[in-house]
Amino acid sequence: MTTLLSATALCIGRGDRRLVSDLHFALQPGDVLHLRGRNGAGKSSLIEVLVGLRPPQSGQVHRSAGDAFHWVGHRNALNPDLTLRENLDCWCALNGVPGDGIAPALDRMGLARLRLRPARTLSAGQKRRAALSRLLIARRSLWLLDEPLSGLDGEGLAVLGQLMNEHVTGEGAIVVTSHQTLPGKLPRVTVIELG
């Protein structure tokens, strides 16, 4: 089976503080890696290393050659002055993705009626759903999600749980940070407590 993401002897720090020491894992299709820990334990720093935004102190990260991935960080990456549709059109253009998946993604996320509203007028939960809608626009086997449950109401959590379940049963894999229990019924979840 193909390993989509692995870490070997991974050590991560901020400044002179060690956050993660000697972490090993291998993520295959169908796997969910749930990173838990208190604030400041290194969850977001680990995701940043896995994405490639910052180097580890030591160790290695390996992603499948040529395999594109989705990263949804703490911030929703929405221009407040653009409409929801314009934001997603820009994302598609930057990623070389056709925009024909935008309307179905917004519909699935319960945002279709808000597509022409400026992002600054959306609630925190609506902005989070908008960021997560990118997961539906382009098929990518690896999802790296930093606190994706933040700001979501019960309906939003249910939709995200469905998306995550569909993704892993469809041969995808997910790394997710969250203080909360993950929504939905996910078949293969490994929990790592940081800190």
Side-chain angles (χ1 to χ4, degrees):
M1 188 174 279
T2 304
T3 298
L4 298 177
L5 178 69
S6 64
T8 307
L10 197 61
C11 295
I12 298 168
R14 264 206 200 273
D16 59 355
R17 187 169 156 239
R18 177 70 56 92
L19 299 171
V20 175
S21 295
D22 199 33
L23 179 65
H24 298 264
F25 68 83
L27 210 60
Q28 301 187 342
D31 289 341
V32 176
L33 178 59
H34 183 186
L35 304 173
R36 297 178 55 104
R38 68 186 191 293
N39 290 338
K43 300 182 303 294
S44 294
S45 295
L46 177 53
I47 289 279
E48 289 171 4
V49 169
L50 298 177
V51 169
L53 293 175
R54 59 199 318 271
Q57 287 181 329
S58 61
Q60 292 187 329
V61 173
H62 183 265
R63 286 189 301 272
S64 294
D67 195 45
F69 61 90
H70 277 298
W71 169 54
V72 178
H74 271 292
R75 296 187 178 142
N76 295 311
L78 298 170
N79 181 321
D81 296 323
L82 297 180
T83 67
L84 183 48
R85 175 68 200 220
E86 289 168 336
N87 269 287
L88 294 175
D89 281 333
C90 288
W91 182 85
C92 286
L94 287 170
N95 286 276
V97 173
D100 56 355
I102 294 175
L106 290 176
D107 187 48
R108 179 81 187 270
M109 298 305 292
L111 297 171
R113 64 184 174 78
L114 303 175
R115 70 189 182 286
L116 300 179
R117 291 221 351 229
R120 71 175 172 276
T121 67
L122 302 176
S123 72
Q126 291 166 339
K127 289 175 185 173
R128 199 61 177 157
R129 285 189 196 206
L132 293 167
S133 70
R134 298 177 185 121
L135 301 172
L136 296 168
I137 296 171
R139 169 79 178 133
R140 295 177 178 169
S141 57
L142 179 60
W143 292 0
L144 301 164
L145 310 177
D146 195 5
E147 299 291 348
L149 313 182
S150 181
L152 294 179
D153 58 12
E155 182 182 331
L157 290 170
V159 170
L160 179 58
Q162 291 168 1
L163 295 181
M164 291 173 72
N165 194 353
E166 290 167 12
H167 183 64
V168 295
T169 57
E171 297 301 305
I174 304 171
V175 178
V176 57
T177 70
S178 179
H179 299 284
Q180 300 169 256
T181 301
L182 298 180
K185 295 182 180 182
L186 299 166
R188 290 197 324 249
V189 179
T190 300
V191 177
I192 295 179
E193 291 281 348
L194 299 178

